[in-house]
Amino acid sequence: MSIRFLLIAAPILAICAAHPHRLKDVHQRSSRDLETMILNNTVELDKQGGTFRLDWDLVYDQDATNPQVVLEMRVATRGWFSLRFTSADLSLGDYFYGAYDADRPSNSFFLDKHCELNNGRGCETADGPKDDLRNDFQLISIVFGQDYTLMRIARLADTGHLQDVAITPSPMMIGWFWSAGIWESGQLTPIDKMGFQDVVLIPE
Ligand SMILES: *[C@@H]1O[C@H](CO)[C@@H](O)[C@H](O)[C@H]1NC(C)=O
């Protein structure tokens, strides 16, 4: 639903020239406004370069034991980027893949992907992870500047889907990836920068 919304909304958005722009998700139904709420947690995933900041917070409005995790990525690119949650046994990578192309909105995407890992490694290529059967991410908003993209998304900590990694109250290995471009000859452009960091998303 959100992909379709993005593709329909994007051409309208592109007509407006000013930057940055914010794209609203009209499907939002939570009692809290996920778009405007302040996210009280932050980590710079790219410790040296400062190219990938993650802000997040938890919303327990709908379920006291399974919060919605609201995540906002600020990435120093206008190309595609990705965030990976890693299972505790390091056998499954659960990815969010996002891109917003202001010049060609049909190039944009917003995807839930997965990859079988071997001790935390695998699929470290642009086209490596496979699409999930179900997209469990909700797109909240996109802001794009001259040299960065800011994307806010949400999903349940435990989506109940086999191709997703449940976010639990313990340190989790988070992977981050970005590229300067989006598409080239029908393939995603190669990864320009990536890394891994252990992050506690839900306090223990
Ligand atoms: C973030 O902190 C503010 C100020 O303490 C608080 O009002 C707000 O509820 C917090 N946000 C969340 C999602 O808990």
Side-chain angles (χ1 to χ4, degrees):
M1 200 145 76
S2 294
I3 295 172
R4 216 178 312 144
F5 168 70
L6 176 61
L7 296 181
I8 292 165
I12 302 163
L13 185 69
I15 293 164
C16 316
H19 295 244
H21 262 301
R22 189 168 275 269
L23 177 61
K24 278 195 184 189
D25 186 334
V26 293
H27 306 297
Q28 183 45 41
R29 274 190 206 94
S30 168
S31 56
R32 202 188 296 247
D33 188 335
L34 299 189
E35 192 202 347
T36 55
M37 68 182 271
I38 293 168
L39 307 179
N40 289 324
N41 306 284
T42 188
V43 62
E44 179 53 60
L45 292 175
D46 179 7
K47 280 201 160 116
Q48 274 81 46
T51 64
F52 203 120
R53 191 183 79 205
L54 177 68
D55 294 339
W56 80 97
D57 224 317
L58 309 164
V59 177
Y60 289 89
D61 292 357
Q62 287 164 2
D63 188 332
T65 58
N66 189 17
Q68 266 184 299
V69 185
V70 184
L71 302 147
E72 187 168 274
M73 292 152 279
R74 191 191 196 284
V75 191
T77 185
R78 294 187 72 171
W80 71 266
F81 53 89
S82 168
L83 191 69
R84 190 189 88 183
F85 307 107
T86 313
S87 64
D89 66 2
L90 306 182
S91 69
L92 179 65
D94 176 13
Y95 298 74
F96 170 78
Y97 260 63
Y100 183 72
D101 187 340
D103 301 321
R104 266 189 93 184
S106 60
N107 281 344
S108 306
F109 52 79
F110 158 71
L111 300 167
D112 195 350
K113 290 175 175 261
H114 66 281
C115 175
E116 277 178 41
L117 305 177
N118 186 358
N119 200 26
R121 291 287 165 158
C123 295
E124 275 93 28
T125 58
D127 288 303
K130 303 273 179 292
D131 285 359
D132 282 20
L133 293 171
R134 190 177 85 195
N135 191 337
D136 287 272
F137 290 108
Q138 179 188 356
L139 178 63
I140 308 294
S141 64
I142 302 170
V143 175
F144 53 94
Q146 293 298 343
D147 54 3
Y148 70 93
T149 306
L150 187 73
M151 197 176 279
R152 185 179 284 207
I153 59 174
R155 59 158 264 194
L156 285 175
D158 186 353
T159 66
H161 193 226
L162 275 177
Q163 293 170 328
D164 289 330
V165 170
I167 298 167
T168 54
S170 48
M172 176 185 273
M173 183 201 211
I174 290 195
W176 57 274
F177 312 80
W178 62 260
S179 176
I182 302 181
W183 298 104
E184 198 172 67
S185 316
Q187 300 227 301
L188 284 175
T189 52
I191 295 166
D192 281 307
K193 204 164 186 200
M194 59 170 279
F196 298 96
Q197 196 180 136
D198 282 351
V199 180
V200 177
L201 290 173
I202 301 180
E204 287 169 88

